[in-house]
Amino acid sequence: MDPAKEVCEFTLDIEMLQTFTRYLLDDDKDSRGTAGSVWHINNGEWEPVDYDPSIGRNTLCGSSIDNWHGMHQRNSNWMDGVEHVTQCGIPPGASFTYIFNASQYGTHWYHSHSGAQRTDGLFGALIVKEKEQGNAQYTAFLNKLNDMKLEPNKNYFDNPGEHTLTLLDWQKSSSLDLFTQIQSSIRYFNIDKASELQGNRAATGTSSTDGAFIGPVPYWSGLINGRGRNNDTDYSNSILSEFNVTAGNTYRFRLIGAQSLYAYRFSIEDHKLTVIATDGQFIKPVMVDYIIIHSGERYDFLLKTKEVTTIRQFMIRAVTLKFTATSTYLEEQSAEAILNYNSVTTPSSDYAGIAERIKNVSRRCTDECVALNCPFEEFPEAINIVCMHITDLKLLTEYPEDLPTTATDDTTRLFFNFGFEGTRRTSSINGRNLKLPSASLAQLEPNKLTDIENNEYCMHPKNKEPNTNKCDRNNEVEVISPDCHCTHVLPAEEGKSIELVLSATGSKEQRNNYAFAHPIHLHGHYFHVVEIVFGEYDDNGTLIAGNDTIDCGDSYLCVRPRWTKNEFNRRKELGKKSISPTAPLKDTLLIPAGGYAVVYFKTDNPGWWFLHCHIEVHQLEGMGVIIDEGGKKTIPPKGMYKCGNFSLTPNEFKAAINTTERSVDCTQCPESCRKKNDFGDQKRHEICKWYSVGLGISVGLLGLYGIAVTVLIIIIIIAFDEVRNKICCCCSMNKNKK
């Protein structure tokens, strides 16, 4: 097939847009300012469009980069788009061509992974529509539609360009100003009320019904597809996004959590939501009233419109978790849009009347309501909402591949505790604040990678004491521990079932170090969600202590999390077994404050994969870790070793993903090199090959011309002794591993 016909190409121009008024769409209806356009690929296949090599063109004052959230980048780790992990940032005025296989179908998105640019609106939807051929899940979904007497394009419609919603919490300050206020002694305050502040008193953050924190700064406003309003703004002065439907039909809606800080409780007034997928994976349908969506998550749901209705517009709302059973729409912190049964646009003068029909929880939930994905075990009794958790979901069809197996010891188990350390409670994992490496790990040649490992990794020699690690410590007096602001990298062996224990817990006395629910995202993989366990609550549903089955290894910071002895033995006695074939698959998962989740994945995608909290300020402070997944990592395409402009053709991309660092011919390497370390790229292989041939020439010359000429050749070879030690071992090791 002609490669040009296999490729769907989009151009993304990155620019800064500032305005003193509400933003408007361009004449061509492209979105600007606070919501990217919806990119979708029909039926899982690329569609050809006009070619423009500047797929990512940056006109910002600083560097930028784009991550394709939900794409696993198999054999193309260097296209993952994480600055200083898989590539350099795109400098101002430069362009970068991203090419990847869109093999993960479903609802995904793209966003900046450079600084806090996502907070300022650098994101958009990326939808890969399913194709039925060879897709058992989609076939099962179509059968489910048939059972519901729904026929595509007759009474069931799936139009991503019309029914995709992106949610964003929108602050009054720019991301840089906001981050500075959160981190500095100035803290956050409402500039309009600055004259009322005395001393250093600042506005406080926000908490949910369980008493856990949900935001370090006060909520300002929310946007749905780039439009919204602040509560102090009259509806008549606002423009809200609209989603058109007709009576008596069923529509597939796609919901994307692009928030910077806040989780939302999403609902559509007077309508139920039938959830059919999460993070792109189909599940057995569940009907709910509310979807609680955290940053990075995606949910697909079916909306059945009313057969007959005199009311033609309904409010779509995403409300933060700071609410009560009786709070009204004027009191709640929300993002809003309109579900419109009419074919004409709703005038803003009608918005207030639509909003007045909103029922608060006490009125809507006279019978029990159901909320999916609660960040706590249950709502207080006064709020008549029943929680459904991710572990209550089941895949629509059984997982078709080999399943991961449970761990019986710590050799294939990784613990990551997400909490806060130091006097300013800086975001960390296991008490370590991630400092991004000085160069992109996926682009480095082996010798340069060794330099970073020896000087920047959290496990490098300066952090080692005779019997412990300096980062396994209390930190009650420093803002941040200098030794533990480091490049946090952990290896994962190829071809293993990995058990991840993701927690946000700690001692009862240090509740504020972990009283925050974290949405955790793993690049490069789906993981199977097997357990979600919560902390300890009082009779009012308030979190009072972390779960006690995890031993934190310290009374202040949870720096060495592991199972308690009893829990370790209990799990060991259960033995190794395959997990459930219908355990839900996710790539972004809420970790409840005071609790933990146990998830599994297989190390079958070699690369440098970022695992991090998707709350932007937490990730920027250091709540991230890089997993060095072993195996045959592919070498970046020619030209990616330097920063700046980078272009790539589809044929060059295909050639790159079919070449691994161990794919060179090593047959010329001598036996004497087999026990050296493992290195590898084509250049080193050629030197190794030259060295091996040189040995053969030396032996031949000895027979023909005697000692003098042979000694000269040997001296030249010995001059390359260091090259020999590294290069030949690379070839021999590669030969053994083929």
Side-chain angles (χ1 to χ4, degrees), residues 610-650:
F610 201 19
L611 173 74
H612 62 96
C613 177
H614 219 275
I615 294 173
E616 188 109 273
V617 65
H618 291 177
Q619 182 244 306
L620 290 174
E621 286 181 351
M623 195 172 276
V625 62
I626 301 165
I627 295 180
D628 175 13
E629 185 171 336
K632 299 180 180 181
K633 294 184 176 71
T634 53
I635 303 168
K638 184 179 180 181
M640 272 197 76
Y641 286 108
K642 62 182 181 65
C643 299
N645 287 323
F646 175 71
S647 61
L648 190 68
T649 67

mmCIF file of all heavy atoms in Angstrom, residues 610-650:
data_model
loop_
_atom_site.group_PDB
_atom_site.id
_atom_site.type_symbol
_atom_site.label_atom_id
_atom_site.label_comp_id
_atom_site.label_asym_id
_atom_site.label_seq_id
_atom_site.Cartn_x
_atom_site.Cartn_y
_atom_site.Cartn_z
ATOM 1 N N PHE A 610 7.102 7.108 31.764
ATOM 2 C CA PHE A 610 6.843 8.030 32.871
ATOM 3 C C PHE A 610 5.614 7.551 33.647
ATOM 4 O O PHE A 610 4.568 7.264 33.066
ATOM 5 C CB PHE A 610 6.612 9.429 32.292
ATOM 6 C CG PHE A 610 6.812 10.557 33.261
ATOM 7 C CD1 PHE A 610 7.539 10.394 34.426
ATOM 8 C CD2 PHE A 610 6.285 11.818 32.985
ATOM 9 C CE1 PHE A 610 7.734 11.449 35.300
ATOM 10 C CE2 PHE A 610 6.475 12.879 33.841
ATOM 11 C CZ PHE A 610 7.195 12.695 35.008
ATOM 12 N N LEU A 611 5.734 7.473 34.963
ATOM 13 C CA LEU A 611 4.627 7.197 35.869
ATOM 14 C C LEU A 611 4.505 8.399 36.786
ATOM 15 O O LEU A 611 5.472 8.748 37.484
ATOM 16 C CB LEU A 611 4.897 5.931 36.684
ATOM 17 C CG LEU A 611 3.887 5.601 37.791
ATOM 18 C CD1 LEU A 611 2.578 5.083 37.199
ATOM 19 C CD2 LEU A 611 4.452 4.583 38.775
ATOM 20 N N HIS A 612 3.333 9.044 36.809
ATOM 21 C CA HIS A 612 3.258 10.316 37.543
ATOM 22 C C HIS A 612 1.830 10.656 37.918
ATOM 23 O O HIS A 612 0.866 10.139 37.337
ATOM 24 C CB HIS A 612 3.843 11.456 36.695
ATOM 25 C CG HIS A 612 3.105 11.704 35.410
ATOM 26 N ND1 HIS A 612 2.131 12.665 35.277
ATOM 27 C CD2 HIS A 612 3.195 11.106 34.191
ATOM 28 C CE1 HIS A 612 1.657 12.659 34.036
ATOM 29 N NE2 HIS A 612 2.288 11.714 33.353
ATOM 30 N N CYS A 613 1.705 11.540 38.904
ATOM 31 C CA CYS A 613 0.411 12.122 39.230
ATOM 32 C C CYS A 613 0.040 13.083 38.112
ATOM 33 O O CYS A 613 0.875 13.856 37.633
ATOM 34 C CB CYS A 613 0.480 12.861 40.561
ATOM 35 S SG CYS A 613 -1.079 13.681 40.998
ATOM 36 N N HIS A 614 -1.238 13.049 37.679
ATOM 37 C CA HIS A 614 -1.659 13.894 36.566
ATOM 38 C C HIS A 614 -2.176 15.252 37.011
ATOM 39 O O HIS A 614 -2.608 16.053 36.184
ATOM 40 C CB HIS A 614 -2.697 13.173 35.706
ATOM 41 C CG HIS A 614 -2.503 13.416 34.241
ATOM 42 N ND1 HIS A 614 -3.025 14.521 33.595
ATOM 43 C CD2 HIS A 614 -1.812 12.730 33.302
ATOM 44 C CE1 HIS A 614 -2.688 14.484 32.315
ATOM 45 N NE2 HIS A 614 -1.940 13.406 32.119
ATOM 46 N N ILE A 615 -2.148 15.523 38.311
ATOM 47 C CA ILE A 615 -2.383 16.891 38.767
ATOM 48 C C ILE A 615 -1.129 17.680 38.425
ATOM 49 O O ILE A 615 -0.028 17.342 38.862
ATOM 50 C CB ILE A 615 -2.683 16.923 40.274
ATOM 51 C CG1 ILE A 615 -4.013 16.214 40.546
ATOM 52 C CG2 ILE A 615 -2.714 18.343 40.810
ATOM 53 C CD1 ILE A 615 -4.343 16.044 42.021
ATOM 54 N N GLU A 616 -1.282 18.715 37.621
ATOM 55 C CA GLU A 616 -0.118 19.369 37.001
ATOM 56 C C GLU A 616 0.897 19.868 38.019
ATOM 57 O O GLU A 616 2.099 19.634 37.889
ATOM 58 C CB GLU A 616 -0.588 20.530 36.128
ATOM 59 C CG GLU A 616 0.520 21.144 35.283
ATOM 60 C CD GLU A 616 0.380 20.837 33.814
ATOM 61 O OE1 GLU A 616 0.881 19.778 33.372
ATOM 62 O OE2 GLU A 616 -0.217 21.649 33.107
ATOM 63 N N VAL A 617 0.438 20.539 39.060
ATOM 64 C CA VAL A 617 1.382 21.105 40.021
ATOM 65 C C VAL A 617 2.119 20.001 40.776
ATOM 66 O O VAL A 617 3.305 20.145 41.104
ATOM 67 C CB VAL A 617 0.666 22.067 40.992
ATOM 68 C CG1 VAL A 617 -0.333 21.344 41.876
ATOM 69 C CG2 VAL A 617 1.673 22.827 41.836
ATOM 70 N N HIS A 618 1.461 18.879 41.038
ATOM 71 C CA HIS A 618 2.135 17.768 41.724
ATOM 72 C C HIS A 618 3.240 17.180 40.843
ATOM 73 O O HIS A 618 4.336 16.875 41.326
ATOM 74 C CB HIS A 618 1.123 16.682 42.093
ATOM 75 C CG HIS A 618 0.157 17.095 43.151
ATOM 76 N ND1 HIS A 618 -0.878 16.281 43.575
ATOM 77 C CD2 HIS A 618 0.055 18.237 43.878
ATOM 78 C CE1 HIS A 618 -1.565 16.910 44.518
ATOM 79 N NE2 HIS A 618 -1.023 18.096 44.713
ATOM 80 N N GLN A 619 2.931 16.989 39.566
ATOM 81 C CA GLN A 619 3.940 16.435 38.663
ATOM 82 C C GLN A 619 5.131 17.385 38.531
ATOM 83 O O GLN A 619 6.292 16.954 38.546
ATOM 84 C CB GLN A 619 3.317 16.171 37.292
ATOM 85 C CG GLN A 619 4.271 15.539 36.290
ATOM 86 C CD GLN A 619 4.538 16.440 35.106
ATOM 87 O OE1 GLN A 619 3.607 16.896 34.443
ATOM 88 N NE2 GLN A 619 5.798 16.707 34.823
ATOM 89 N N LEU A 620 4.863 18.687 38.451
ATOM 90 C CA LEU A 620 5.955 19.655 38.304
ATOM 91 C C LEU A 620 6.821 19.720 39.556
ATOM 92 O O LEU A 620 8.025 19.953 39.469
ATOM 93 C CB LEU A 620 5.377 21.039 37.992
ATOM 94 C CG LEU A 620 4.740 21.202 36.608
ATOM 95 C CD1 LEU A 620 4.090 22.573 36.482
ATOM 96 C CD2 LEU A 620 5.769 21.000 35.511
ATOM 97 N N GLU A 621 6.220 19.512 40.712
ATOM 98 C CA GLU A 621 6.988 19.530 41.957
ATOM 99 C C GLU A 621 7.854 18.288 42.118
ATOM 100 O O GLU A 621 8.798 18.293 42.902
ATOM 101 C CB GLU A 621 6.039 19.618 43.155
ATOM 102 C CG GLU A 621 5.418 20.981 43.355
ATOM 103 C CD GLU A 621 4.504 20.995 44.574
ATOM 104 O OE1 GLU A 621 4.228 19.912 45.136
ATOM 105 O OE2 GLU A 621 4.071 22.074 44.961
ATOM 106 N N GLY A 622 7.535 17.217 41.418
ATOM 107 C CA GLY A 622 8.380 16.034 41.521
ATOM 108 C C GLY A 622 7.667 14.743 41.805
ATOM 109 O O GLY A 622 8.311 13.744 42.153
ATOM 110 N N MET A 623 6.332 14.701 41.648
ATOM 111 C CA MET A 623 5.585 13.474 41.921
ATOM 112 C C MET A 623 5.561 12.608 40.659
ATOM 113 O O MET A 623 4.531 12.434 40.005
ATOM 114 C CB MET A 623 4.171 13.811 42.399
ATOM 115 C CG MET A 623 3.441 12.650 43.041
ATOM 116 S SD MET A 623 1.866 13.130 43.806
ATOM 117 C CE MET A 623 2.423 13.701 45.416
ATOM 118 N N GLY A 624 6.736 12.075 40.343
ATOM 119 C CA GLY A 624 6.875 11.239 39.161
ATOM 120 C C GLY A 624 8.071 10.320 39.294
ATOM 121 O O GLY A 624 8.989 10.563 40.087
ATOM 122 N N VAL A 625 8.065 9.245 38.514
ATOM 123 C CA VAL A 625 9.177 8.305 38.483
ATOM 124 C C VAL A 625 9.271 7.770 37.059
ATOM 125 O O VAL A 625 8.265 7.697 36.342
ATOM 126 C CB VAL A 625 8.958 7.156 39.504
ATOM 127 C CG1 VAL A 625 7.710 6.363 39.178
ATOM 128 C CG2 VAL A 625 10.172 6.245 39.590
ATOM 129 N N ILE A 626 10.470 7.433 36.629
ATOM 130 C CA ILE A 626 10.702 6.907 35.283
ATOM 131 C C ILE A 626 10.987 5.418 35.396
ATOM 132 O O ILE A 626 11.896 5.008 36.123
ATOM 133 C CB ILE A 626 11.876 7.632 34.603
ATOM 134 C CG1 ILE A 626 11.600 9.137 34.516
ATOM 135 C CG2 ILE A 626 12.127 7.058 33.204
ATOM 136 C CD1 ILE A 626 12.821 9.976 34.195
ATOM 137 N N ILE A 627 10.197 4.624 34.687
ATOM 138 C CA ILE A 627 10.416 3.178 34.679
ATOM 139 C C ILE A 627 11.250 2.822 33.450
ATOM 140 O O ILE A 627 10.852 3.082 32.315
ATOM 141 C CB ILE A 627 9.083 2.421 34.668
ATOM 142 C CG1 ILE A 627 8.325 2.696 35.985
ATOM 143 C CG2 ILE A 627 9.311 0.921 34.495
ATOM 144 C CD1 ILE A 627 6.981 2.005 36.081
ATOM 145 N N ASP A 628 12.416 2.266 33.706
ATOM 146 C CA ASP A 628 13.313 1.812 32.639
ATOM 147 C C ASP A 628 12.942 0.365 32.320
ATOM 148 O O ASP A 628 13.419 -0.568 32.958
ATOM 149 C CB ASP A 628 14.765 1.930 33.107
ATOM 150 C CG ASP A 628 15.760 1.363 32.102
ATOM 151 O OD1 ASP A 628 15.357 1.107 30.946
ATOM 152 O OD2 ASP A 628 16.928 1.174 32.480
ATOM 153 N N GLU A 629 12.076 0.198 31.328
ATOM 154 C CA GLU A 629 11.586 -1.130 30.983
ATOM 155 C C GLU A 629 12.578 -1.826 30.062
ATOM 156 O O GLU A 629 12.875 -1.346 28.965
ATOM 157 C CB GLU A 629 10.209 -1.036 30.329
ATOM 158 C CG GLU A 629 9.595 -2.391 30.048
ATOM 159 C CD GLU A 629 8.155 -2.288 29.599
ATOM 160 O OE1 GLU A 629 7.495 -1.274 29.916
ATOM 161 O OE2 GLU A 629 7.678 -3.228 28.924
ATOM 162 N N GLY A 630 13.091 -2.958 30.524
ATOM 163 C CA GLY A 630 14.130 -3.669 29.799
ATOM 164 C C GLY A 630 13.628 -4.317 28.527
ATOM 165 O O GLY A 630 12.434 -4.454 28.291
ATOM 166 N N GLY A 631 14.574 -4.744 27.708
ATOM 167 C CA GLY A 631 14.256 -5.367 26.430
ATOM 168 C C GLY A 631 14.931 -4.635 25.294
ATOM 169 O O GLY A 631 15.823 -3.812 25.492
ATOM 170 N N LYS A 632 14.521 -4.928 24.094
ATOM 171 C CA LYS A 632 15.150 -4.378 22.898
ATOM 172 C C LYS A 632 14.583 -3.007 22.567
ATOM 173 O O LYS A 632 13.636 -2.875 21.802
ATOM 174 C CB LYS A 632 14.962 -5.332 21.726
ATOM 175 C CG LYS A 632 15.597 -6.701 21.947
ATOM 176 C CD LYS A 632 15.392 -7.612 20.754
ATOM 177 C CE LYS A 632 16.040 -8.980 20.991
ATOM 178 N NZ LYS A 632 15.866 -9.871 19.837
ATOM 179 N N LYS A 633 15.143 -1.987 23.168
ATOM 180 C CA LYS A 633 14.701 -0.615 22.901
ATOM 181 C C LYS A 633 15.072 -0.211 21.473
ATOM 182 O O LYS A 633 16.185 -0.462 21.018
ATOM 183 C CB LYS A 633 15.336 0.361 23.888
ATOM 184 C CG LYS A 633 14.911 0.181 25.336
ATOM 185 C CD LYS A 633 15.538 1.266 26.207
ATOM 186 C CE LYS A 633 15.081 1.189 27.646
ATOM 187 N NZ LYS A 633 15.630 0.045 28.373
ATOM 188 N N THR A 634 14.168 0.419 20.783
ATOM 189 C CA THR A 634 14.456 0.873 19.420
ATOM 190 C C THR A 634 15.294 2.141 19.457
ATOM 191 O O THR A 634 15.144 2.991 20.334
ATOM 192 C CB THR A 634 13.169 1.143 18.632
ATOM 193 O OG1 THR A 634 12.341 2.027 19.395
ATOM 194 C CG2 THR A 634 12.417 -0.136 18.351
ATOM 195 N N ILE A 635 16.171 2.259 18.499
ATOM 196 C CA ILE A 635 17.048 3.426 18.388
ATOM 197 C C ILE A 635 16.269 4.570 17.759
ATOM 198 O O ILE A 635 15.524 4.363 16.798
ATOM 199 C CB ILE A 635 18.268 3.081 17.517
ATOM 200 C CG1 ILE A 635 19.005 1.877 18.102
ATOM 201 C CG2 ILE A 635 19.207 4.266 17.386
ATOM 202 C CD1 ILE A 635 20.040 1.301 17.169
ATOM 203 N N PRO A 636 16.380 5.793 18.256
ATOM 204 C CA PRO A 636 15.668 6.919 17.647
ATOM 205 C C PRO A 636 16.076 7.111 16.190
ATOM 206 O O PRO A 636 17.208 6.780 15.804
ATOM 207 C CB PRO A 636 16.103 8.119 18.496
ATOM 208 C CG PRO A 636 16.565 7.536 19.783
ATOM 209 C CD PRO A 636 17.147 6.205 19.441
ATOM 210 N N PRO A 637 15.189 7.636 15.356
ATOM 211 C CA PRO A 637 15.549 7.907 13.964
ATOM 212 C C PRO A 637 16.705 8.896 13.875
ATOM 213 O O PRO A 637 16.936 9.688 14.792
ATOM 214 C CB PRO A 637 14.266 8.516 13.378
ATOM 215 C CG PRO A 637 13.180 8.108 14.307
ATOM 216 C CD PRO A 637 13.804 8.002 15.658
ATOM 217 N N LYS A 638 17.404 8.829 12.770
ATOM 218 C CA LYS A 638 18.521 9.738 12.549
ATOM 219 C C LYS A 638 18.033 11.177 12.642
ATOM 220 O O LYS A 638 17.035 11.541 12.039
ATOM 221 C CB LYS A 638 19.131 9.479 11.171
ATOM 222 C CG LYS A 638 20.363 10.318 10.874
ATOM 223 C CD LYS A 638 20.926 9.974 9.501
ATOM 224 C CE LYS A 638 22.158 10.815 9.202
ATOM 225 N NZ LYS A 638 22.702 10.510 7.851
ATOM 226 N N GLY A 639 18.738 11.982 13.403
ATOM 227 C CA GLY A 639 18.360 13.380 13.554
ATOM 228 C C GLY A 639 17.744 13.692 14.897
ATOM 229 O O GLY A 639 17.716 14.846 15.319
ATOM 230 N N MET A 640 17.254 12.659 15.615
ATOM 231 C CA MET A 640 16.637 12.910 16.920
ATOM 232 C C MET A 640 17.658 13.062 18.029
ATOM 233 O O MET A 640 17.308 13.430 19.149
ATOM 234 C CB MET A 640 15.670 11.781 17.283
ATOM 235 C CG MET A 640 14.270 11.981 16.768
ATOM 236 S SD MET A 640 13.047 10.929 17.606
ATOM 237 C CE MET A 640 12.859 11.784 19.167
ATOM 238 N N TYR A 641 18.927 12.762 17.750
ATOM 239 C CA TYR A 641 19.940 12.901 18.788
ATOM 240 C C TYR A 641 20.247 14.360 19.101
ATOM 241 O O TYR A 641 20.884 14.669 20.090
ATOM 242 C CB TYR A 641 21.234 12.184 18.375
ATOM 243 C CG TYR A 641 21.138 10.686 18.465
ATOM 244 C CD1 TYR A 641 21.084 9.893 17.325
ATOM 245 C CD2 TYR A 641 21.080 10.050 19.693
ATOM 246 C CE1 TYR A 641 20.987 8.508 17.404
ATOM 247 C CE2 TYR A 641 20.978 8.672 19.795
ATOM 248 C CZ TYR A 641 20.936 7.904 18.647
ATOM 249 O OH TYR A 641 20.836 6.542 18.741
ATOM 250 N N LYS A 642 19.816 15.262 18.247
ATOM 251 C CA LYS A 642 20.029 16.681 18.508
ATOM 252 C C LYS A 642 18.680 17.343 18.748
ATOM 253 O O LYS A 642 17.630 16.827 18.378
ATOM 254 C CB LYS A 642 20.733 17.360 17.331
ATOM 255 C CG LYS A 642 19.947 17.329 16.024
ATOM 256 C CD LYS A 642 20.735 17.985 14.906
ATOM 257 C CE LYS A 642 19.944 17.987 13.602
ATOM 258 N NZ LYS A 642 18.718 18.808 13.680
ATOM 259 N N CYS A 643 18.716 18.505 19.395
ATOM 260 C CA CYS A 643 17.487 19.248 19.649
ATOM 261 C C CYS A 643 17.274 20.267 18.530
ATOM 262 O O CYS A 643 18.209 20.672 17.848
ATOM 263 C CB CYS A 643 17.551 19.953 20.998
ATOM 264 S SG CYS A 643 17.757 18.806 22.383
ATOM 265 N N GLY A 644 16.041 20.704 18.339
ATOM 266 C CA GLY A 644 15.721 21.671 17.289
ATOM 267 C C GLY A 644 14.717 21.098 16.323
ATOM 268 O O GLY A 644 13.922 20.210 16.659
ATOM 269 N N ASN A 645 14.742 21.577 15.081
ATOM 270 C CA ASN A 645 13.822 21.086 14.065
ATOM 271 C C ASN A 645 14.024 19.591 13.833
ATOM 272 O O ASN A 645 15.150 19.104 13.805
ATOM 273 C CB ASN A 645 14.036 21.822 12.739
ATOM 274 C CG ASN A 645 13.515 23.248 12.796
ATOM 275 O OD1 ASN A 645 12.489 23.525 13.406
ATOM 276 N ND2 ASN A 645 14.224 24.161 12.159
ATOM 277 N N PHE A 646 12.926 18.893 13.664
ATOM 278 C CA PHE A 646 13.012 17.469 13.357
ATOM 279 C C PHE A 646 11.848 17.097 12.457
ATOM 280 O O PHE A 646 10.692 17.363 12.773
ATOM 281 C CB PHE A 646 12.963 16.613 14.628
ATOM 282 C CG PHE A 646 12.941 15.138 14.347
ATOM 283 C CD1 PHE A 646 14.074 14.495 13.869
ATOM 284 C CD2 PHE A 646 11.777 14.398 14.521
ATOM 285 C CE1 PHE A 646 14.051 13.139 13.592
ATOM 286 C CE2 PHE A 646 11.741 13.045 14.249
ATOM 287 C CZ PHE A 646 12.890 12.412 13.783
ATOM 288 N N SER A 647 12.166 16.504 11.319
ATOM 289 C CA SER A 647 11.130 16.041 10.400
ATOM 290 C C SER A 647 11.334 14.556 10.140
ATOM 291 O O SER A 647 12.440 14.024 10.278
ATOM 292 C CB SER A 647 11.170 16.823 9.085
ATOM 293 O OG SER A 647 12.422 16.640 8.441
ATOM 294 N N LEU A 648 10.263 13.889 9.753
ATOM 295 C CA LEU A 648 10.294 12.444 9.586
ATOM 296 C C LEU A 648 9.233 12.058 8.570
ATOM 297 O O LEU A 648 8.148 12.633 8.548
ATOM 298 C CB LEU A 648 9.999 11.763 10.932
ATOM 299 C CG LEU A 648 10.217 10.249 11.046
ATOM 300 C CD1 LEU A 648 11.694 9.919 10.961
ATOM 301 C CD2 LEU A 648 9.637 9.737 12.367
ATOM 302 N N THR A 649 9.563 11.112 7.706
ATOM 303 C CA THR A 649 8.593 10.613 6.744
ATOM 304 C C THR A 649 8.039 9.280 7.242
ATOM 305 O O THR A 649 8.668 8.611 8.071
ATOM 306 C CB THR A 649 9.227 10.403 5.365
ATOM 307 O OG1 THR A 649 10.182 9.331 5.450
ATOM 308 C CG2 THR A 649 9.921 11.680 4.875
ATOM 309 N N PRO A 650 6.884 8.856 6.754
ATOM 310 C CA PRO A 650 6.338 7.554 7.169
ATOM 311 C C PRO A 650 7.296 6.396 6.916
ATOM 312 O O PRO A 650 7.405 5.486 7.744
ATOM 313 C CB PRO A 650 5.063 7.431 6.333
ATOM 314 C CG PRO A 650 4.645 8.841 6.087
ATOM 315 C CD PRO A 650 5.925 9.612 5.933
#
